[in-house]
Amino acid sequence: MSLRAKIWEYFIFFTAMVLVILWFLQIVFIDNFYKGMKIKDVKNVAVEIAENYGNDDYSLMLTQLAISNDICIDVADKYGRILYTKDTLGKSCLIHGPQASTGNFLYKLKNSGETELYYTEFNQLTNSDMLIYMTIIGSEKSPDGYILINSPLVPVDATAAIFKKQLLLVTVFLLLLSLIISYFMAKKISEPIARITKSAEQMAAGNYDIKFDGKGYAEIQRLSNTLTFAGMQISKVDAMQRDLIANVSHDLRTPLTMLKAYAEMIRDLSGDNPEKRNEHLEIIINETDRLALLVSDMLDLSKLERGDLKLNYSEFNIKELLEDIISRYKGLSDKQEYDISFEADSDITVNCDIIKIQQVIYNLINNAVNYTGEDKKIFVKQINKPDCVRIEVSDTGEGIEPDKIKLIFEKYYRSENHKREVVGTGLGLSIVKAILKKHGYNFGVFSSVGKGSTFWFEIKDIAGKIPQQAPEKPQKKNLFKKSEMSNYNEKS
Ligand code: ADP
């Protein structure tokens, strides 16, 4: 059932309920209600008559009361003898007519043992009910007199008939009104929903950048904001997935093609030439390494991102670790003339996951080796600060453009102009980011295009006492000028 139909249904139901209650009250209770009112009026008149019994101008007062209330009044003395008769109803008065006898009525009252008595009687002359009311004047034991009042109930029926007619009009009017209001209300409510549905359909068709418009209601606005946000997220994931497939397939295809080409070459050409064969086999091994690196990076990152990776904290000397890592590059630096310099403050013990931090340092130095300039210089620094140990890895390469600097820590981001010789997966810095975030360490990069980049992070978990700082050394000239530097850092 559509929202429109449902709202219409509720509205009609509500109106019908209101009408039923109204009708019920009017028809069932109006008679009793008016009769009650009439009795009350008549009683009030009787009280006035009783209170003024025997006063001057009593007769005049009775006449006025009879006329103003449109009733017949009889007042009898304590023996039941009629003293006053005020008759405004003429022949239709039930207590006076030819068959009526005041004595009969008073006899009924005396017999009842009550101080007052009333009932309705049908009057054939007026074709309507009439109220007959009687009561005593003075005390119950020795009454001073009696009052007899006859009041027509005609106006009750007449008024009720008018009300019924009016109610019929109101009913028709209300039903029409509820129909119109519910139509517009449903339209107003369902419009933004219809709009959102249309946008959602477009999103389902693959257009994730669609904007949801839920103007009209706070709830619908919130829904549309959430959907817009979800669309953005899906769009991001979609783009990332596309990137991932493009990157991975590209990264897989190149080494695979090489593997195939060189394997074929060994089979067809160089199989018997040990020198050539070894050269080709070396290429096959390198390409296999490249593949293995890609796969292990992907596994690492997915593990880190799933968040089910536990850190194994242990205490170790960070300076020794850095020296150890740098010495392992020695082979590389000797052969390819890379110059990795290490500058460190005093020994310091830190408390964190040594394997993961090692991976961070490796990734940073690897990148520096890959992207450093012609001079093949790389600088590693360990700076002891009062509340942390700062590690910096600098190179003298091309640097990173300011608009790219935010992107390099994203998964699979690789600058378009990276060279094929640079072994990389575009995952290295995402792994660095994930590990440092997991530890809660601050990290960042500042870079100057054409001059180089410095990647840094700060280990906050220092074991034991922090060694006294050496007196400020004169600040070495910075590698780059501040004005041409772009900067990115993240606080964990
Ligand atoms: P990969 O190095 O495998 O491409 P990374 O995640 O390590 O992946 O780096 C992402 C991108 O950041 C690189 O493609 C490169 O463009 C840029 N980058 C990383 N380190 C440096 C650096 N030291 N100098 C210049 N650019 C860098």
Side-chain angles (χ1 to χ4, degrees):
M1 198 177 201
S2 78
L3 181 73
R4 200 170 284 198
K6 203 80 203 164
I7 289 177
W8 183 78
E9 189 186 287
Y10 283 138
F11 234 83
I12 296 291
F13 177 73
F14 173 75
T15 316
M17 283 311 287
V18 170
L19 287 172
V20 163
I21 292 169
L22 258 170
W23 275 95
F24 189 72
L25 282 178
Q26 292 289 4
I27 288 159
V28 178
F29 293 122
I30 199 167
D31 272 354
N32 289 334
F33 184 70
Y34 279 105
K35 209 178 270 175
M37 262 180 40
K38 208 75 198 169
I39 291 166
K40 226 168 107 191
D41 285 351
V42 167
K43 273 186 182 175
N44 286 340
V45 171
V47 168
E48 211 176 327
I49 294 172
E51 278 175 356
N52 293 296
Y53 184 55
N55 280 4
D56 294 346
D57 295 332
Y58 192 55
S59 177
L60 182 64
M61 189 202 88
L62 287 180
T63 309
Q64 279 167 351
L65 278 174
I67 290 170
S68 62
N69 290 290
D70 204 17
I71 51 178
C72 305
I73 305 170
D74 275 4
V75 179
D77 64 10
K78 57 181 162 186
Y79 309 110
R81 287 177 306 200
I82 302 292
L83 298 179
Y84 304 96
T85 292
K86 300 296 169 188
D87 191 347
T88 56
L89 299 174
K91 279 188 181 148
S92 67
C93 189
L94 276 183
I95 55 176
H96 295 130
Q99 330 86 317
S101 148
T102 310
N104 274 349
F105 291 114
L106 294 182
Y107 181 73
K108 271 185 201 163
L109 175 64
K110 282 180 197 162
N111 259 8
S112 72
E114 306 279 342
T115 56
E116 63 171 5
L117 192 69
Y118 55 84
Y119 55 91
T120 55
E121 199 171 308
F122 188 70
N123 188 339
Q124 270 158 351
L125 267 178
T126 59
N127 203 20
S128 66
D129 279 336
M130 293 199 109
L131 172 71
I132 294 171
Y133 176 85
M134 51 204 104
T135 188
I136 54 171
I137 301 174
S139 73
E140 193 185 340
K141 290 246 173 69
S142 56
D144 296 332
Y146 299 93
I147 300 169
L148 191 58
I149 295 174
N150 180 204
S151 165
L153 293 173
V154 186
V156 176
D157 287 345
T159 321
I162 292 170
F163 268 126
K164 274 174 202 164
K165 255 187 214 149
Q166 262 186 357
L167 206 56
L168 203 70
L169 270 173
V170 169
T171 305
V172 174
F173 178 72
L174 268 183
L175 280 175
L176 268 173
L177 195 71
S178 70
L179 217 73
I180 295 166
I181 291 181
S182 64
Y183 173 77
F184 283 107
M185 218 166 106
K187 208 169 145 190
K188 194 124 184 48
I189 291 179
S190 62
E191 241 165 28
I193 297 179
R195 271 204 310 272
I196 289 178
T197 311
K198 224 183 214 158
S199 306
E201 278 162 5
Q202 286 193 38
M203 191 161 99
N207 181 5
Y208 301 117
D209 294 328
I210 196 98
K211 222 174 141 48
F212 286 86
D213 172 18
K215 277 198 295 284
Y217 306 93
E219 290 85 351
I220 294 179
Q221 186 65 53
R222 210 176 312 145
L223 171 70
S224 70
N225 289 348
T226 311
L227 284 172
T228 306
F229 180 69
M232 265 154 53
Q233 295 299 99
I234 295 176
S235 158
K236 248 196 233 164
V237 171
D238 189 56
M240 250 163 63
Q241 201 174 7
R242 247 178 286 147
D243 275 5
L244 182 138
I245 294 172
N247 276 309
V248 170
S249 52
H250 175 262
D251 281 335
L252 288 179
R253 203 178 44 212
T254 324
L256 283 175
T257 319
M258 301 261 269
L259 285 178
K260 183 161 184 254
Y262 281 96
E264 279 171 352
M265 256 201 273
I266 293 169
R267 182 192 64 195
D268 299 338
L269 303 170
S270 60
D272 300 331
N273 181 340
E275 203 175 307
K276 273 261 176 271
R277 187 185 60 208
N278 281 347
E279 193 185 308
H280 292 164
L281 280 174
E282 196 61 38
I283 293 172
I284 288 180
I285 290 166
N286 282 343
E287 290 303 316
T288 318
D289 283 348
R290 197 197 286 267
L291 275 177
L293 178 74
L294 176 67
V295 171
S296 79
D297 270 6
M298 283 166 72
L299 281 177
D300 275 355
L301 193 64
S302 93
K303 252 195 253 162
L304 276 164
E305 289 203 329
R306 241 186 295 135
D308 54 4
L309 184 109
K310 290 265 168 309
L311 294 178
N312 279 321
Y313 280 87
S314 66
E315 293 191 0
F316 60 92
N317 185 328
I318 184 73
K319 191 174 173 181
E320 275 171 17
L321 180 74
L322 284 164
E323 276 164 352
D324 187 37
I325 293 172
I326 291 165
S327 76
R328 272 187 247 162
Y329 276 93
K330 262 272 159 304
L332 184 73
S333 32
D334 285 350
K335 200 164 83 194
Q336 304 195 351
E337 296 153 13
Y338 282 100
D339 174 11
I340 304 182
S341 80
F342 180 43
E343 200 179 292
D345 287 344
S346 57
D347 282 78
I348 188 162
T349 309
V350 294
N351 183 10
C352 46
D353 190 321
I354 184 165
I355 305 284
K356 296 279 166 311
I357 292 298
Q358 193 168 307
Q359 201 175 351
V360 168
I361 297 167
Y362 262 121
N363 278 344
L364 293 184
I365 295 182
N366 263 340
N367 277 350
V369 166
N370 286 337
Y371 297 105
T372 195
E374 294 293 310
D375 61 2
K376 300 199 165 176
K377 278 196 163 95
I378 290 136
F379 304 90
V380 180
K381 277 188 199 162
Q382 173 214 321
I383 302 158
N384 296 353
K385 290 183 147 198
D387 53 352
C388 63
V389 181
R390 184 181 168 103
I391 312 293
E392 287 185 1
V393 179
S394 311
D395 62 67
T396 60
E398 280 304 305
I400 305 152
E401 286 144 46
D403 55 327
K404 302 279 160 58
I405 205 155
K406 270 199 195 86
L407 300 173
I408 56 170
F409 286 97
E410 297 287 315
K411 251 180 298 180
Y412 293 107
Y413 173 79
R414 305 193 69 189
S415 52
E416 307 87 49
N417 52 0
H418 77 268
K419 307 161 214 127
R420 159 87 189 135
E421 313 85 73
V422 172
V423 182
T425 57
L427 290 175
L429 286 179
S430 336
I431 293 172
V432 166
K433 174 174 164 175
I435 291 175
L436 293 175
K437 281 207 135 188
K438 184 105 192 160
H439 275 88
Y441 297 162
N442 298 340
F443 60 93
V445 52
F446 45 94
S447 182
S448 178
V449 175
K451 302 212 168 148
S453 320
T454 296
F455 287 79
W456 61 268
F457 66 96
E458 292 177 342
I459 303 177
K460 283 193 289 194
D461 303 302
I462 300 169
K465 209 167 160 274
I466 303 160
Q468 199 61 40
Q469 280 289 289
E472 268 313 297
K473 284 179 235 148
Q475 195 72 44
K476 270 216 192 118
K477 221 177 107 219
N478 213 324
L479 219 52
F480 339 109
K481 275 197 213 128
K482 238 204 162 84
S483 56
E484 33 185 51
M485 218 156 75
S486 50
N487 203 346
Y488 172 76
N489 50 48
E490 259 196 60
K491 280 205 160 53
S492 289

